[in-house]
């Protein structure tokens, strides 16, 4: 049995520390507009999940600047740019914009949903 010297490949310790932040997107429960439909959540242009009424999505991201958007069919929210720092959580709320009778919003590319950051900072 060999005790010394040890090869690095035999007993290596991964010292890499991942710096992450978290983005949380919440969709409120209730209401009847889109109650049976899912909203897609796009982070930095890529779909990272879908939200049903009353659900929440959590995504770990590297610290820095990101974009976030909620979409449904051909419409959705405006694209929100934000910065999140290491070990912090950015919380957003994704909900229908306007009321159920605001039918004209369905024909816009970014007016059907509203996406707001909980703390009000972007």
């Amino acid at each position: 049995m060999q005790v010394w010297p040890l090869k690095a490949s035999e007993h290596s310790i991964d010292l890499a520390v991942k710096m992450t932040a978290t983005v949380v997107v919440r969709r409120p429960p209730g209401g009847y507009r889109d109650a049976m439909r899912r909203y897609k959540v796009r982070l930095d242009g890529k779909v990272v999940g879908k939200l049903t009424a009353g659900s929440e999505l959590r995504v770990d991201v590297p610290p820095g600047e990101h974009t976030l958007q909620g979409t449904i069919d051909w419409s959705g929210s405006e694209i929100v740019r934000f910065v999140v720092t290491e070990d912090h959580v950015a919380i957003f709320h994704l909900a229908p914009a306007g009321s159920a009778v605001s039918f004209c919003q369905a024909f816009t590319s970014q007016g059907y949903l509203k996406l707001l950051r909980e703390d009000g900072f972007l």
Side-chain angles (χ1 to χ4, degrees):
M1 179 168 123
Q2 182 181 2
V3 176
W4 183 262
L6 296 176
K7 293 181 183 176
S9 62
E10 291 176 352
H11 298 330
S12 63
I13 300 172
D14 186 8
L15 297 177
V17 177
K18 292 184 179 181
M19 297 186 305
T20 61
T22 303
V23 175
V24 176
V25 183
R26 296 178 177 154
R27 182 175 168 190
Y32 54 91
R33 180 171 152 187
D34 303 327
M36 303 301 289
R37 302 179 74 198
R38 295 180 183 171
Y39 296 161
K40 290 180 184 173
V41 177
R42 295 179 182 273
L43 181 66
D44 298 328
K46 297 178 185 173
V47 176
V48 293
K50 296 179 180 180
L51 290 173
T52 57
S55 65
E56 176 180 285
L57 175 68
R58 299 177 79 82
V59 182
D60 289 334
V61 297
E65 185 175 331
H66 298 278
T67 60
L68 191 65
Q69 182 183 30
T71 61
I72 183 171
D73 299 329
W74 59 86
S75 191
S77 71
E78 292 191 17
I79 296 172
V80 174
R81 294 187 183 284
F82 66 99
V83 175
V84 65
T85 57
E86 182 181 352
D87 295 328
H88 284 90
V89 178
I91 301 173
F92 293 86
H93 296 270
L94 180 61
S99 66
V101 295
S102 300
F103 185 69
C104 62
Q105 290 174 321
F107 299 103
T108 64
S109 63
Q110 296 184 345
Y112 191 76
L113 301 175
K114 63 180 175 182
L115 180 64
L116 302 172
R117 188 159 178 182
E118 185 171 280
D119 57 13
F121 297 104
L122 296 178

